[in-house]
């Protein structure tokens, strides 16, 4: 009788361990955050809310892809996204591809001077993207802007730039 109880306890312990490995570890592991460059390389911009990743999981059954999404997302909270601001930005784009992006050309020629800490960087074969910078000038977020209109860029930068002391 005692031997059967010990065997039952061992089976129970293995069952609990299996549950932990199956359900708890993926949740803990999904909270790891990747750098903005790693997320961009995976195809995630860093703008996704984690609730978007959960919706994504309903349609895409690739667990690794969903896990990558969760490593690149921003936690949902009361207006958390709109409160994030940046000290500067770099518009990175290939000079040869600019002819395909008249809205971006218009922004560079007529609007960029409104933002003193905004720079344009020409990099061969780079799709147009905004690299948002923190107070130390470090990359915090990268956003592809291939299909953005000039007014979208203006609105985004007005909302996301910290006011400068000269303003």
């Amino acid at each position: 009788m005692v031997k059967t109880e010990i065997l039952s306890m061992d089976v129970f312990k293995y069952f609990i361990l299996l549950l932990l490995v199956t359900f708890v570890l993926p949740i803990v592991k999904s909270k790891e955050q990747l750098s903005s460059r790693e997320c961009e390389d995976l195809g995630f911009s860093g703008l996704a809310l984690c609730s978007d990743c959960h919706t994504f999981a309903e349609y895409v059954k690739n667990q690794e892809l969903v896990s990558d999404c969760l490593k690149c997302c921003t936690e949902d909270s009361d207006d958390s996204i709109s409160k994030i601001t940046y000290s500067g930005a770099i518009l990175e784009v290939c000079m040869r591809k600019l002819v395909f992006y008249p809205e971006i050309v218009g922004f560079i020629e007529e609007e960029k001077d409104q933002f003193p800490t905004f720079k344009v960087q020409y990099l061969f074969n780079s799709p147009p993207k905004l690299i948002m910078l923190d107070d130390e000038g470090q990359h915090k977020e990268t956003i592809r802007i291939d299909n953005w209109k000039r007014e979208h860029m203006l609105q985004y930068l007005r909302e996301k730039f910290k006011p400068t002391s000269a303003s």
Side-chain angles (χ1 to χ4, degrees):
M1 181 75 177
V2 173
K3 194 169 187 170
T4 307
E5 287 178 11
I6 292 173
L7 186 60
S8 295
M9 285 301 283
D10 285 342
V11 170
F12 180 73
K13 287 178 187 176
Y14 287 121
F15 177 73
I16 294 298
L17 183 62
L18 181 65
L19 284 175
L20 282 172
V21 169
T22 305
F23 296 106
V24 176
L25 282 179
I27 293 170
V28 171
K29 192 170 183 182
S30 72
K31 293 303 175 190
E32 295 174 15
Q33 289 297 114
L34 298 177
S35 71
S36 61
R37 178 68 70 189
E38 291 170 317
C39 290
E40 182 184 341
D41 290 344
L42 291 170
F44 297 103
S45 71
L47 286 178
L49 294 174
C50 291
S51 60
D52 295 335
C53 294
H54 297 298
T55 303
F56 183 56
E58 293 174 19
Y59 298 97
V60 176
K61 300 304 177 196
N62 182 329
Q63 194 60 37
E64 185 179 350
L65 193 57
V66 172
S67 175
D68 288 342
C69 181
L70 289 169
K71 291 176 187 176
C72 294
C73 68
T74 303
E75 288 296 328
D76 302 49
S77 67
D78 297 334
D79 209 25
S80 63
I81 295 296
S82 66
K83 293 179 183 175
I84 298 171
T85 59
Y86 302 97
S87 295
I90 299 170
L91 170 60
E92 187 178 278
V93 65
C94 176
M95 190 178 285
R96 293 178 182 206
K97 291 182 179 181
L98 270 177
V99 296
F100 301 110
Y101 303 105
E103 295 285 337
I104 294 172
V105 171
F107 177 84
I108 292 170
E109 291 175 350
E110 299 173 23
E111 311 289 356
K112 79 173 177 79
D113 293 335
Q114 296 178 37
F115 307 97
T117 56
F118 182 89
K119 307 287 181 242
V120 178
Q121 178 177 314
Y122 298 103
L123 186 65
F124 179 73
N125 215 24
S126 176
K129 58 188 152 198
L130 286 175
I131 301 169
M132 306 307 290
L133 308 172
D134 64 10
D135 292 334
E136 289 81 40
Q138 298 297 311
H139 296 193
K140 295 311 283 179
E141 186 174 11
T142 302
I143 306 141
R144 291 279 300 261
I145 59 168
D146 307 61
N147 299 315
W148 284 26
K149 302 257 184 237
R150 181 191 315 194
E151 52 269 14
H152 298 150
M153 287 183 274
L154 276 169
Q155 179 184 359
Y156 183 80
L157 291 173
R158 285 181 183 139
E159 289 175 7
K160 295 298 182 178
F161 261 50
K162 290 180 183 173
T164 58
S165 56
S167 297

